[in-house]
Amino acid sequence: MLKIRSFAGYELQKAKSNSPEDLFNRSEVIYTYHGKDRSFELLYVRYLEEQLPDLTEQLTMENGEQLAVKDIAALACLLQADGYLERRKVYINDQHQFSDLFQNLDWNKVKKICVKLKHSSNPEESLL
């Protein structure tokens, strides 16, 4: 059973002046799978999410709050393909591979996870 404990996304900042890090986003999920605590990181070129303007409607919660792609990208990986459950880190730089993460994604499930994790006073209650 997959239990999502937390998720977040980050825009990377330059560590050095000649570093390309500011072109990337990192999306992370902490979860429990078959009783073991695990983490999953997705690193991707920020440009890829700019190529998916049609996600805006799906990323809008019922209360009008807007989710960010970087916050849910790793979550989409885990929900879409079991193969990611055994991996710790993934790098995506291909537009088709990135857009496939959001094809046929159960947006109601994503929103339900978001609501449970954000509005629960006890994190253990928010696990699915």
Side-chain angles (χ1 to χ4, degrees), residues 2-7 30 109 112-128:
L2 177 65
K3 297 179 182 180
I4 306 299
R5 300 175 62 89
S6 67
F7 62 92
I30 297 174
K109 189 172 191 175
K112 182 179 176 183
I113 292 168
C114 292
V115 168
K116 285 189 173 222
L117 288 173
K118 287 186 179 193
H119 301 294
S120 176
S121 59
N122 180 357
E124 294 301 316
E125 292 176 5
S126 64
L127 303 178
L128 296 178

Side-chain angles (χ1 to χ4, degrees), residues 1-122:
M1 176 178 217
L2 177 65
K3 297 179 182 180
I4 306 299
R5 300 175 62 89
S6 67
F7 62 92
Y10 311 95
E11 290 185 0
L12 299 184
Q13 304 296 320
K14 284 185 180 236
K16 297 179 182 179
S17 62
N18 61 349
S19 168
E21 287 176 302
D22 63 336
L23 301 175
F24 296 89
N25 283 351
R26 176 178 291 129
S27 183
E28 301 174 333
V29 176
I30 297 174
Y31 62 99
T32 302
Y33 185 62
H34 294 302
K36 294 181 182 178
D37 290 337
R38 298 179 181 202
S39 64
F40 175 74
E41 290 183 12
L42 171 66
L43 181 68
Y44 64 92
V45 181
R46 187 174 304 136
Y47 171 80
L48 298 177
E49 74 178 49
E50 296 167 2
Q51 302 307 304
L52 300 174
D54 55 329
L55 285 184
T56 304
E57 185 176 321
Q58 286 89 351
L59 293 170
T60 304
M61 301 286 285
E62 291 177 11
N63 64 2
E65 181 182 351
Q66 191 74 19
L67 297 172
V69 173
K70 67 180 180 254
D71 290 335
I72 65 158
L75 181 61
C77 281
L78 295 180
L79 294 176
Q80 289 285 69
D82 290 340
Y84 290 111
L85 291 170
E86 299 301 323
R87 299 178 72 178
R88 290 184 45 106
K89 295 182 180 186
V90 171
Y91 171 67
I92 295 179
N93 65 354
D94 179 76
Q95 181 65 47
H96 294 292
Q97 186 180 8
F98 189 73
S99 63
D100 284 349
L101 297 176
F102 304 99
Q103 297 297 319
N104 302 316
L105 183 63
D106 185 347
W107 290 101
N108 290 327
K109 189 172 191 175
V110 171
K111 291 175 183 179
K112 182 179 176 183
I113 292 168
C114 292
V115 168
K116 285 189 173 222
L117 288 173
K118 287 186 179 193
H119 301 294
S120 176
S121 59
N122 180 357

